[in-house]
Amino acid sequence: MTVWFTSDTHFSDPRVLRIDRRPYPDLPAHDAALIANWNAVVAPGDTVWHLGDVALRPTAAWIAEILGTLNGIKHLIVGNNDGPDTLQAEGWASVGHYAEIVVDGRPLVLCHYAFRTWNGMGRGALDLHGHSHAKLTPIPKQYDVGVDAQGFTPVDLPTILASRRARKVGGRKAEPSP
């Protein structure tokens, strides 16, 4: 069983095509691609932490329908665009604004928003967040797990850790690959 992280899917939100310039011709293609990408990596028994901003103004029934198409046991960390219908939709194993968990022996702090400091920071805890749509310069031990930063796919902890190491070349940061 693998633990996955994602954020800022923004299902049915036309703003992401315009503002974030996501590479999809329209919202149905966007939503279908995110669902396909999710299900390509997440198995039914895996755990997924969605760090907020699931969809734009959905009904609880519509969110439950989307959640029903997505593999895994899903936990929601509330984002600024997650309204009452999203929070109350069937399909969430838990809903909260913040969580501290341990994966592969590594303490993780989960919130929709990036922190400047966080609990356990000096003891190796990582800050996983969304909200910034890959536009925030990370600080050490902080990772944006939003779909814009992670190839529109949920990521596991080894992938998250490798993403930072892969960007270093000869002791300095390399330009991110397209």
Side-chain angles (χ1 to χ4, degrees), residues 6-142:
T6 193
S7 182
D8 299 287
T9 48
H10 287 275
F11 289 111
S12 295
D13 186 344
R15 299 172 302 170
V16 296
L17 297 180
R18 185 179 70 253
I19 296 169
D20 295 316
R21 296 188 171 101
R22 291 188 180 173
Y24 305 102
D26 53 36
L27 284 174
H30 169 268
D31 293 358
L34 292 183
I35 292 167
N37 291 353
W38 179 305
N39 290 335
V41 297
V42 178
D46 290 349
T47 298
V48 181
W49 287 88
H50 193 300
L51 304 189
D53 286 3
V54 177
L56 180 67
R57 291 185 222 99
T59 65
W62 186 85
I63 285 290
E65 183 179 323
I66 288 286
L67 293 175
T69 67
L70 298 170
N71 289 340
I73 300 160
K74 295 164 280 295
H75 299 270
L76 174 63
I77 299 296
V78 179
N80 58 299
N81 288 299
D82 295 320
D85 284 336
T86 298
L87 306 183
Q88 297 166 9
E90 288 186 34
W92 298 118
S94 70
V95 175
H97 289 271
Y98 175 92
E100 292 184 18
I101 64 172
V102 176
V103 174
D104 299 337
R106 178 67 72 113
L108 305 173
V109 171
L110 311 178
C111 188
H112 181 63
Y113 307 101
F115 291 127
R116 182 77 182 246
T117 64
W118 56 90
N119 188 35
M121 180 179 185
R123 295 182 305 281
L126 303 179
D127 171 36
L128 305 186
H129 68 88
H131 187 66
S132 66
H133 295 259
K135 294 179 178 127
L136 183 66
T137 301
I139 62 175
K141 301 180 192 171
Q142 182 182 75

